[in-house]
Structure formats: C-alpha cells, structure tokens
Amino acid sequence: MSSLSDLRGLCPAPFLQESVFPDTGGFTPGRFCMPLPDLHNLTCCLPCPLSDWAYSDGFESRTEIANWVNVAAFILSVYLILSFAILPVKFTHRHYLSVCLTLGVVFLELAFIIPQAAKPDQCFNEITPNDMHSSGVCAVSGAFLLFGGWAIVIWVFCRALALHLQICWEVVPGDKFFYTSLAFGWGIPIVGLALTLSLTGVSFRFGNVCHINHKDALQDFWGPLLAFAALGLVLQFITIGYCVHVYMKSILDDKPTTNDSSQAPPTYSNSMRTVSARQTYRRVKRVVQLQWRGASIVLVITAEVVFFSVVFVSMDNSTQINEQLLRKATPWLNCLALAQGDKTKCLSYTKGLVKSEGVVLAVLIILGLSGFWCLMFLGRWSMTHGWIEFLRNKFPRRKEFVSADARRLSTDPHRVMTNPNPRTVLSPDPDTKQGYFDSAQAYISPVSSHSSPRSPSRSHNWNPRSTFAGPAEVGKETGTKTYLG
C-alpha cells in the first residue's frame, strides 16, 4: 500500500496527485480535482470525502441523526401499515390512497436505515467516492431513496386529484379511478427509477446515503418530480380556493333553504348541481370534515419535497467543477495549501461555496419526518382501542367463572352435600368394544328409601276383586251389568 507522501506526489498538502490513481473504479466524476498553474497544470485533488473539508469536524456523525429519526419514523410507519392490514375498518378508516402513501414513505425511510446498519465505506480510494457500481449498499439505498421520493409525490398527487374531484366537480372516484391510481402510482415510480439509474446513477455525495448524480438529473428526476409536486399543489390550492368561494357565497346568500343539517349526507348526483349556495356549502363542509387529514398531508409533504429539491439542486450545482467554481474556490484552496491541511483555519472561505450545516441537516431530518406526518394525519386514536380489542380476543384470560352462590356454598361446611354411598363410574377400556350400556348394573337402594324394586309378575290375569275397583268398573271387567240401589 502506497504511503500518503507517495500519493501526494508533487501536490502540496493536503492535495493528492490524480495521476497516481487509476482512471476507473468508483465515481470518478465525483473527484474534486483542479489543475494548478504554478505546477505546470498538474492536477491535484482533495481527499475523499469532500464534506470532511468543507464542513467542521463531526459533520458526518451529525448527519446520522437523520438516520435515527428515520428509524423512529419507520417504526411508526410499520405500526400504521399493520393497523391498516389487521384491524377492522371501523378502527382505521383505511383507504388505498392512505395505504399506498404510507408504503412510499416506508421505502424512503429504508434508504436511511440500511446505511445506518451496514456502515458502508464512502470512498473507493483516497480521492474517488463510491457509486452504485462499486458499492452494493450505495445502490440499494439510492434506489430506495429515488423510488420512495417518486412514490410519495405521485400518491400525494393522486390524493389531491381525488379531493379536487369530490369537492369541485362532485365526482366520487370509483373503480376506474382505483385501478388507474394503482397503475399510475406504482408504474411511474418504477419507470422513473429505471430511467434515473440507467441515465444518471447514484453515488455518495454527503453522508452515508447515496444521492442522485449531477448528469442529466434535472431532466430525468428533478424536473418531472417537481412537475408532479407543483401540479398536486395547484390542484390543492384550487380546491381550497373553491371552498373559500363557497363559504363566502353562503354568507352572502340569504335565500331560505329546505335542507336540514340533521339530514343524511346527500349523494353525488346530477340534481346536486341546482342546489342553493347554502346547500353547496353544507356539502363541501361535510367533505372537508372527512378529508381534512388528506388535504393537510398533501400540503406538508409537498412542501417537504420542494424544500429538499431546491436545496439539493443548489448544492449539486455548487459542487460541479468548472471555471466559475474554481475562481470562487481559489481563496479556500490557497488557504488549505498554506495551512498544510488545517481546515479549521479555512472554514470561513467555504461560505458561498456550499450550503451551511444547518440547512443540510434540516433537509435530511425533514425527510425523516414524513413517517411522523403520516401517523399524525392518517392515524387515529381508535387504532389503539382496536389493538387492545384484538389482543384481548387473541389472548383471552383462561379463568373459570364461579357464581357467588356456588362460592358461598363451597365455603360453608354445613351446606356441603355428600353422597353416602359414592360410586366410581369407570369409562370403558378403549381397547375393548364394550359400551357404556352393554352390561347390567346392580341397583343399590339408598339408606333413607323405604321402597325396593319388585320383579314384574309372570301372570297376566288381573282380578279386579282383589283391588279397590268400584262395582261399575268390576262390571265392565266381567261383562255383566250391575244396578245400584
């Protein structure tokens, strides 16, 4: 293994000479290299990772805070998914739009959890970061990040569209919308992921999670993603504007109405198009009361996506090697060379070159909050009661019920009734074919009984004179007529 002085070559500390390293392996466009005019345009590079030089000590460890936030959010998301899958609808009020959105958030959270467990090496060599071809963890985490981002944006758009159709156009999404949403909500992320990985790829940019590269990223990922996010946001604002319009119109409308608020919610039919402003307001109010959770999560997650996209695109553009960047970075690079690699003396020159640590950490942590938003807006307190009832039915208490009278008699020695002649009834031997009632049983007379069984008489002739039968009954038996008196 070459020593650091051999790798440095003719470059001043802390730079390393690029010609010493191979031209293949890792993500070579991710190297931060520039020609030095004072050394006859010898190309020198900053050691990998670049974030170690642009930010203060401990920045990499602080980025792991976002990973732990995603771990906590992942637990909450799994709880939500299991509640949707196991508990009855009366406890969860589940809907396919909510379930699919939560699944998209789970994919995004896995992108941060996998590197936290695997602890991948960010660098292929001293100046080259790893990419999806040189690191399997990078490929998996980057794929989950891109797919989760696509899925979240598409399902947020589908939810905004469904709410817009219900409120503004009085159209209840049916089976066609259901199947179209499933095909659209999962098909677009799959196609987008395939195009992004094949045309652009992912690599370690900052932190231990792989992010999308710069080449064609605006065309195949950021552009379409922001387009769907903007379209969903526009639909949401139109829906909110329509609700405000209906509310204001209902205030200005003084016409009496026969519709009572205590009646059942009206059905979406063509006749509803002719109702008064107050009736329309009541209809919109009922829909908003049922859908305010979905509307809120659309606004929150769309704001997250826009914030993350703007910050990351800005960071991506600021780290691309070009003449403008080299001109802006010259004071910082000269400071590093004069300070012999002591970056603490040169951090003041990085302002304007990279985003501040607070902004970067805020972006990563906000992405991890998506699971908390899902539980806050899509979860319900009734889920807790549902799990309690589910566990009670699944694991009931095995305790025999004893009535109060039986318990009182069992504790009173004067009321205990015992059999003076106890008998043990034996069940037949399983190896024999004798039944319970095949053999004759001897009759045992109780002590307090004054009767005994008698065998039946063999004579069938009955003499009525030996009994207490009346004369009329005797005559009937002998066939003669007897007259009284």
Side-chain angles (χ1 to χ4, degrees):
M1 182 177 180
S2 301
S3 62
L4 186 61
S5 58
D6 296 335
L7 297 177
R8 183 171 293 124
L10 300 177
C11 296
F15 300 95
L16 304 177
Q17 187 172 333
E18 185 182 23
S19 59
V20 179
F21 299 92
D23 296 333
T24 59
F27 185 61
T28 54
R31 297 174 177 176
F32 194 86
C33 303
M34 74 291 297
L36 298 180
D38 297 339
L39 297 177
H40 305 285
N41 290 329
L42 180 67
T43 303
C44 298
C45 307
L46 275 176
C48 176
L50 179 61
S51 58
D52 283 351
W53 301 96
Y55 296 101
S56 61
D57 293 334
F59 172 76
E60 292 292 333
S61 60
R62 285 191 290 272
T63 58
E64 294 184 359
I65 298 176
N67 298 351
W68 288 110
V69 171
N70 279 274
V71 170
F74 177 77
I75 296 174
L76 299 179
S77 300
V78 170
Y79 166 77
L80 198 59
I81 292 294
L82 292 178
S83 300
F84 287 147
I86 297 176
L87 299 181
V89 182
K90 65 179 181 179
F91 294 113
T92 62
H93 301 274
R94 62 175 175 261
H95 193 272
Y96 66 92
L97 293 176
S98 302
V99 175
C100 293
L101 177 59
T102 308
L103 287 175
V105 172
V106 169
F107 284 115
L108 182 66
E109 292 163 349
L110 287 175
F112 293 86
I113 295 175
I114 293 175
Q116 183 66 22
K119 302 294 183 182
D121 190 359
Q122 298 184 30
C123 300
F124 180 79
N125 53 37
E126 284 76 2
I127 64 172
T128 310
N130 272 315
D131 63 356
M132 63 181 186
H133 300 290
S134 58
S135 174
V137 176
C138 176
V140 174
S141 64
F144 275 128
L145 182 64
L146 299 180
F147 184 81
W150 264 117
I152 290 174
V153 171
I154 296 300
W155 283 108
V156 163
F157 167 76
C158 292
R159 178 174 282 277
L161 178 60
L163 186 63
H164 178 76
L165 293 176
Q166 291 183 64
I167 293 180
C168 299
W169 301 98
E170 304 176 17
V171 175
V172 178
D175 292 338
K176 292 183 179 179
F177 188 87
F178 169 71
Y179 292 112
T180 304
S181 298
L182 288 180
F184 188 75
W186 296 118
I188 294 297
I190 292 175
V191 174
L193 176 64
L195 291 176
T196 304
L197 292 181
S198 60
L199 299 178
T200 302
V202 293
S203 63
F204 287 105
R205 310 295 298 276
F206 57 91
N208 56 3
V209 179
C210 275
H211 299 272
I212 188 172
N213 296 326
H214 176 75
K215 179 185 176 182
D216 298 329
L218 193 61
Q219 290 79 12
D220 57 32
F221 183 73
W222 295 115
L225 191 75
L226 290 175
F228 279 107
L231 188 57
L233 195 61
V234 169
L235 287 176
Q236 193 68 25
F237 282 140
I238 292 176
T239 305
I240 295 175
Y242 177 78
C243 294
V244 174
H245 168 72
V246 170
Y247 175 72
M248 297 301 297
K249 191 174 181 180
S250 66
I251 294 178
L252 300 177
D253 184 23
D254 296 327
K255 294 186 299 181
T257 177
T258 59
N259 186 21
D260 188 8
S261 60
S262 62
Q263 295 178 356
T267 59
Y268 294 94
S269 60
N270 293 331
S271 61
M272 291 298 297
R273 302 181 186 276
T274 60
V275 297
S276 65
R278 290 184 180 273
Q279 291 172 319
T280 305
Y281 168 70
R282 292 189 181 97
R283 176 185 61 81
V284 172
K285 181 180 178 181
R286 293 189 186 99
V287 177
V288 171
Q289 287 176 346
L290 295 175
Q291 300 291 340
W292 70 269
R293 299 170 182 267
S296 301
I297 200 170
V298 166
L299 295 176
V300 171
I301 292 187
T302 303
E304 283 187 2
V305 171
V306 172
F307 178 61
F308 173 78
S309 302
V310 171
V311 172
F312 190 86
V313 170
S314 177
M315 292 177 58
D316 189 33
N317 293 331
S318 63
T319 56
Q320 296 306 306
I321 304 299
N322 50 43
E323 294 182 0
Q324 182 180 2
L325 177 63
L326 292 177
R327 187 167 53 253
K328 292 175 60 177
T330 298
W332 174 52
L333 299 176
N334 291 335
C335 177
L336 289 176
L338 294 175
Q340 295 294 315
D342 188 1
K343 67 176 183 179
T344 57
K345 298 179 180 180
C346 307
L347 289 177
S348 59
Y349 294 98
T350 60
K351 295 180 180 179
L353 296 176
V354 294
K355 292 293 182 181
S356 63
E357 293 185 16
V359 174
V360 176
L361 294 177
V363 168
L364 297 178
I365 293 175
I366 285 176
L367 282 179
L369 294 178
S370 300
F372 293 95
W373 302 134
C374 285
L375 183 64
M376 180 181 298
F377 293 113
L378 303 181
R380 298 173 182 266
W381 283 111
S382 57
M383 291 181 178
T384 304
H385 302 289
W387 279 111
I388 294 175
E389 182 176 334
F390 173 79
L391 295 177
R392 284 178 178 175
N393 297 333
K394 194 71 174 179
F395 306 102
R397 293 183 178 180
R398 297 181 178 179
K399 185 176 181 181
E400 184 180 359
F401 174 77
V402 181
S403 64
D405 293 337
R407 188 181 298 108
R408 179 174 53 84
L409 293 175
S410 63
T411 57
D412 190 355
H414 300 286
R415 292 181 176 269
V416 176
M417 300 178 65
T418 59
N419 189 356
N421 295 318
R423 296 176 56 213
T424 303
V425 180
L426 300 177
S427 61
D429 190 355
D431 295 333
T432 63
K433 295 183 180 180
Q434 181 181 359
Y436 283 100
F437 307 103
D438 290 345
S439 61
Q441 300 291 336
Y443 177 79
I444 300 177
S445 178
V447 177
S448 59
S449 177
H450 300 282
S451 62
S452 60
R454 298 181 181 182
S455 59
S457 176
R458 294 183 179 180
S459 176
H460 298 284
N461 296 327
W462 175 63
N463 186 6
R465 298 184 182 276
S466 62
T467 64
F468 296 96
E473 297 176 356
V474 174
K476 291 180 182 180
E477 179 65 24
T478 58
T480 60
K481 294 183 179 180
T482 304
Y483 298 96
L484 301 177

